[in-house]
Each structure stands twice: as C-alpha cells, then as structure tokens.
Amino acid sequence: MAILETARFDIPLLATGQAHKELFHNEALARIDFLLHPVVQAVESDPSNIVPSPGQSWLVAPGAVNDWLGRDDHIAGWTENGWLFIVPQTVMRIYVKSSESYAVYRGSWQSAETVTNPAGGAVVDSEARLAIDSILSVLVAQGILLSTS
C-alpha cells in the first residue's frame, strides 16, 4: 500500500484498513506541532553542536553535516523518536529565537536586515526623520528588521 501524504508538508494521511494507524497519526501531529506556530532556536549546520529537547527545532543552514547532511534549508525538529525534517514552502515565515527576528523562505531562508535610522544630510527634516524612526521602531518590534543597537 502506498503511503498517503499531504501535498505541501508530507503530513501522513490515514487509509482504510491501514495497520499501525497510531504511528501515522502521531507523525502527522508532530509535523503539525512544528508548523502551527513555527519557531526555531537558531540557524545551525551541525546537529552535534546542540543538545535538543523534544519540541525544539532549528533551520538547517547550507552545508549541513552529520544527521542533517542533504537537508539544507529544512526545518529540523527534535522529537522523542529523533529528527523530523520539514521542507519549507515559498514565503513561509518562521521566528528565529537566537536573533529575535523572522526569516522568510524564498528559495532559501532570508533573515531580517539591519537598517540604521536616518542621520546627517545637507537638509534635515525633523518631522520626516521622526516619522521614519517611528516606522523603523515598529518594524524592529515586529521582528521584521533588526535593531542597530
């Protein structure tokens, strides 16, 4: 019998008469748990550098080694049964705890950029500068941009 999976995240589906349905069901729930509110600890290329706990996940950096070899850009989640890998989808957004910002998947993971507040210049428009500073503050607070401080 062919294993049935969802098209985007390979979440196992149950089939009529399928043996060990609880294994497939638990695998599906584990994947959903990692995807429901996606948060990763950090971006890492070597799993031997970390001591994972069940429920924690990482973004697999390019050039991954050991258990993550060939899994570049995947989300690697640790479960009680070992690593579970999820292939990201275009414009998927995930929160990276180590940088306190978001990364977006566009063929590869792209992290928030650091921008500086306006300073200097021949003509200073204090009202425009205040408006820009306010916009930048909101974007930093949302994790869309990184703070320079």
Side-chain angles (χ1 to χ4, degrees), residues 105-141:
Y105 187 76
R106 292 186 176 104
S108 65
W109 288 103
Q110 298 174 7
S111 298
E113 295 186 25
T114 302
V115 296
T116 57
N117 291 8
V123 177
V124 176
D125 182 338
S126 59
E127 288 181 15
R129 203 168 270 187
L130 181 62
I132 292 169
D133 287 342
S134 297
I135 292 167
L136 292 176
S137 294
V138 169
L139 293 174
V140 167

Side-chain angles (χ1 to χ4, degrees), residues 44-52 64-69 76 83 85:
E44 180 63 60
S45 61
D46 187 354
S48 65
N49 292 335
I50 57 178
V51 180
V65 296
N66 297 327
D67 290 345
W68 293 356
L69 185 66
W83 292 111
F85 297 97

Side-chain angles (χ1 to χ4, degrees), residues 3-19:
I3 296 177
L4 303 171
E5 297 175 331
T6 62
R8 293 190 321 140
F9 291 111
D10 299 329
I11 297 172
L13 299 171
L14 298 178
T16 305
Q18 178 178 353

Side-chain angles (χ1 to χ4, degrees), residues 67-80:
D67 290 345
W68 293 356
L69 185 66
R71 303 285 190 163
D72 294 2
D73 290 328
H74 285 61
I75 299 166
W78 182 253
T79 69
E80 292 178 6

